[in-house]
Amino acid sequence: MSAQRHDVSDTPLVTVIIASYNHARYIEKSVNSVINQTYSNIELLVIDDGSTDESPAILKQLQEKHGFDLRFQANKGLAATLNDAIERARGELIVPFGSDDIMVAHRIATQVEYMKGKPEVGICSANIETIDQDGRVMGPREQRKRNLPFRRLDFDDLFLDRKPGPMAATLMLRREALDKVGGFNANIRLEDVYIELAIARAGYFIDVLGEVLAQYRDHPTNTFKNGRFMVDNVLKTYEVFRDHPQYEKVCMNFRNSMVLKYANRDKTLTREILAEIPVKYWNKKTLRGIWRLISS
């Protein structure tokens, strides 16, 4: 029995959760990248969240071939879907994974090995390589998160943006940490930012490995390209932690970054954000954003 317990602890069960929504073009490669992991003790839960494209048919074919747990539901959003899946997940490590992204073959094995003997680490992440909608590796400008060095983050590192944060496409969450914070917040649609902050606030570290463990797909419907969605949900997430002494400054710094980011893309949104920033909080990003706004 002792040998058996040793084997289990050396190869803990990892539950990978893929919530799929209208990603028919990408879902097969995403699922196959999990099936083809070098690490074998994986429980794969796939949930189609009310897709209206060909995703359900593709998933049925994949399920018949590989035998993973597949469920279909009316659309309820990612955070609620993840929480439902976590309730029935059996793994001690949980990996929420995008239905448009691709894992490198040794991703799970690498992160499991790293997490061993580090109960203080609630989340393990890694670097990403960015690919386009056709799977081509994108140019150097899009690869800013490919060669970042290892870093350990606590809550203030993340909340105050003192170090580059973890990549959503590479998150591995300790089940104990998830349980401690009550899972994802179903009222916040930017689920990764919330869960990272919540787990770090609970006293865990987030360790980001300095190697590429996933390909992140850049395509027209990426969440980060919806400016209003990003602004509203990041600020809604920060509000959960409003008791932090630098809460107001954090929100203003974020707004300044968004002014600069969207000045050329969404002038209406940029003006709305700018109106919410008192002059005392203006910085170089604000001024550069204003210049872009009036000159473009």
Side-chain angles (χ1 to χ4, degrees):
M1 286 295 289
S2 60
Q4 184 177 359
R5 286 197 298 270
H6 179 73
D7 289 343
V8 171
S9 65
D10 275 355
T11 56
L13 180 63
V14 177
T15 299
V16 177
I17 303 169
I18 297 179
S20 171
Y21 179 68
N22 285 350
H23 278 165
R25 185 174 179 181
Y26 317 122
I27 186 63
E28 184 171 0
K29 288 187 176 180
S30 177
V31 168
N32 282 338
S33 75
V34 180
I35 299 296
N36 294 327
Q37 287 294 295
T38 60
Y39 189 84
S40 59
N41 198 15
I42 293 175
E43 172 188 50
L44 175 58
L45 308 180
V46 181
I47 308 95
D48 185 87
D49 191 30
S51 292
T52 55
D53 62 5
E54 297 302 312
S55 297
I58 295 169
L59 286 171
K60 284 179 183 177
Q61 290 179 348
L62 288 168
Q63 196 277 336
E64 288 170 4
K65 181 177 180 181
H66 299 294
F68 54 81
D69 185 298
L70 173 63
R71 302 195 181 187
F72 297 93
Q73 65 185 32
N75 184 266
K76 61 163 63 176
L78 184 52
T81 299
L82 289 173
N83 282 338
D84 288 348
I86 290 166
E87 280 189 17
R88 56 191 175 89
R90 296 180 293 114
E92 15 177 324
L93 297 167
I94 307 292
V95 174
F97 192 60
S99 53
D100 49 353
D101 298 329
I102 299 172
M103 294 185 184
V104 303
H106 62 276
R107 178 216 161 149
I108 300 297
T110 299
Q111 290 183 292
V112 167
E113 184 63 30
Y114 181 80
M115 294 280 272
K116 286 179 185 174
K118 298 183 182 72
E120 75 279 7
V121 179
I123 300 176
C124 177
S125 180
N127 291 341
I128 57 171
E129 177 178 70
T130 305
I131 58 175
D132 67 15
Q133 57 188 332
D134 297 314
R136 294 183 294 249
V137 176
M138 299 182 74
R141 187 177 178 183
E142 289 79 20
Q143 301 297 345
R144 289 172 294 177
K145 296 170 182 176
R146 182 175 182 173
N147 299 310
L148 296 172
F150 170 87
R151 56 226 182 257
R152 167 166 283 192
L153 298 89
D154 61 19
F155 179 79
D156 277 0
D157 289 330
L158 199 58
F159 195 59
L160 304 179
D161 198 25
R162 298 194 299 210
K163 300 176 185 177
M167 306 295 109
T170 62
L171 296 182
M172 176 175 279
L173 313 173
R174 196 176 293 282
R175 177 63 178 265
E176 171 193 296
L178 267 174
D179 290 344
K180 189 170 182 179
V181 302
F184 292 85
N185 187 329
N187 296 317
I188 295 176
R189 294 174 63 198
L190 205 60
E191 69 295 328
D192 55 316
V193 177
Y194 168 78
I195 204 65
E196 292 158 11
L197 286 167
I199 287 177
R201 187 64 177 267
Y204 293 92
F205 290 113
I206 300 174
D207 285 4
V208 188
L209 309 183
E211 62 179 296
V212 170
L213 291 183
Q215 290 183 313
Y216 171 78
R217 195 181 297 274
D218 185 306
H219 56 81
T221 59
N222 287 132
T223 301
F224 80 89
K225 294 182 179 178
N226 183 335
R228 194 172 298 277
F229 174 91
M230 290 295 295
V231 171
D232 290 349
N233 280 280
V234 169
L235 291 174
K236 193 173 183 180
T237 302
Y238 288 166
E239 191 174 358
V240 176
F241 309 97
R242 64 180 304 123
D243 60 333
H244 191 282
Q246 296 195 55
Y247 165 72
E248 186 175 13
K249 183 179 179 181
V250 166
C251 291
M252 293 305 167
N253 284 343
F254 171 71
R255 286 187 173 99
N256 282 324
S257 295
M258 294 300 99
V259 164
L260 179 60
K261 182 173 183 176
Y262 290 104
N264 289 337
R265 309 178 193 182
D266 189 333
K267 293 183 181 297
T268 300
L269 175 62
T270 301
R271 292 189 184 97
E272 290 177 13
I273 300 170
L274 193 57
E276 297 172 347
I277 308 173
V279 175
K280 68 176 181 177
Y281 283 110
W282 285 17
N283 59 26
K284 290 180 180 178
K285 289 183 178 179
T286 329
L287 299 177
R288 286 168 60 198
I290 291 172
W291 174 249
R292 286 184 185 178
L293 189 65
I294 62 177
S295 63
S296 62

